Amino acid sequence: MRIRYVGNQIEIRGSWLIIISLLVGSNDCCFPWKSIWKQKIPSWVAFFVWIAALGKCLTIDNLRKRKVWILDWCYMCKCNGELVEHLFLHCSVAMDLWAMVLGLFGVSLVMPQSVLGLLECWQGRFGCRRNGFIWIIVPHCLMWCLWRERNSRCFEDNERSIPDLKLFFFRTLLDWLATLWNQSFSSFLDFLDSCNFYSWFVDPLYTPCVLGCPFFYINKTYQQQQQKYIFLNIKWMWLHYSSTISI
């Protein structure tokens, strides 16, 4: 990489991988920039996910690093300190949403330690499937909904219930699919049916590393049981809350 001054401006020439590695702050040049900047999601969400992947979101732990002394607790679960990884991956509320989404697709996931690790292993071969366009934007949508809910609880003292939060996620996801992907569904249940990877995998009970990553497994028995439970649970929420929440 070459840096030189041209008048009052700085000109940078060189490999983008080197520049990205400098931004990330490590020698690892495998930063998943395509999973962030090449997806059909709102630009402000892409920027937010990039900041989250770098661990620079203004969560309480990062505010305390800037000498802003406030009570360190998670606004979502109200049990632990608020870290970026905890808020988006390991909080009990976040885990409930991740379990719902993964059960809907019939995928078992060993949750990575960081947001960066999740983005590195998420897309894989699933992004090439017929319904992969839904799968590849799920983490962006879920983390954005968690962040909005966190800010709503923090600054507006307005807390959604878990069923409301799940339907808020589905509503946001459907809005993105309709406006950015030009994808529409005849009904909400039709959308749920489209989130099904089961028909793509045959024979083995377990299909390890199907995403090119050891975090993911397709378990047929698990999927059949989980999808039945998830479908009934979401259908109940939809029928119970559809009078107050529009999608």
Side-chain angles (χ1 to χ4, degrees), residues 189-213:
L189 294 180
D190 181 44
F191 163 73
L192 295 181
D193 286 336
S194 66
C195 302
N196 182 8
F197 286 142
Y198 178 70
S199 60
W200 295 101
F201 301 98
V202 293
D203 291 337
L205 179 63
Y206 290 91
T207 306
C209 304
V210 76
L211 295 178
C213 175

Side-chain angles (χ1 to χ4, degrees), residues 147-158:
W147 184 247
R148 288 189 60 184
E149 176 64 17
R150 179 263 185 195
N151 288 340
S152 177
R153 297 185 181 192
C154 177
F155 300 111
E156 302 173 11
D157 196 23
N158 184 15

Side-chain angles (χ1 to χ4, degrees), residues 104-120:
L104 191 61
F105 283 91
V107 177
S108 299
L109 168 65
V110 179
M111 188 61 70
Q113 189 174 8
S114 65
V115 174
L116 183 61
L118 178 70
L119 295 174
E120 285 177 343

Side-chain angles (χ1 to χ4, degrees), residues 43-107:
S43 56
W44 58 87
V45 176
F47 181 80
F48 162 75
V49 174
W50 178 60
I51 294 297
L54 297 178
K56 303 298 183 182
C57 282
L58 291 182
T59 48
I60 293 179
D61 65 318
N62 285 326
L63 290 175
R64 290 169 71 91
K65 291 177 183 178
R66 302 185 181 194
K67 309 302 181 183
V68 180
W69 301 112
I70 55 179
L71 180 64
D72 186 12
W73 79 321
C74 176
Y75 287 96
M76 303 300 289
C77 67
K78 303 177 179 63
C79 296
N80 300 90
E82 188 181 71
L83 306 173
V84 174
E85 292 79 12
H86 172 79
L87 177 63
F88 296 121
L89 301 180
H90 307 298
C91 171
S92 59
V93 177
M95 290 294 291
D96 196 356
L97 266 67
W98 285 115
M100 175 194 67
V101 171
L102 294 170
L104 191 61
F105 283 91
V107 177

Side-chain angles (χ1 to χ4, degrees), residues 40 51 65 68 79 93 130 141 144 154 174 225 239 242:
K40 289 185 180 181
I51 294 297
K65 291 177 183 178
V68 180
C79 296
V93 177
R130 173 181 58 86
C141 184
W144 177 247
C154 177
L174 284 170
Q225 296 174 349
L239 294 175
S242 58

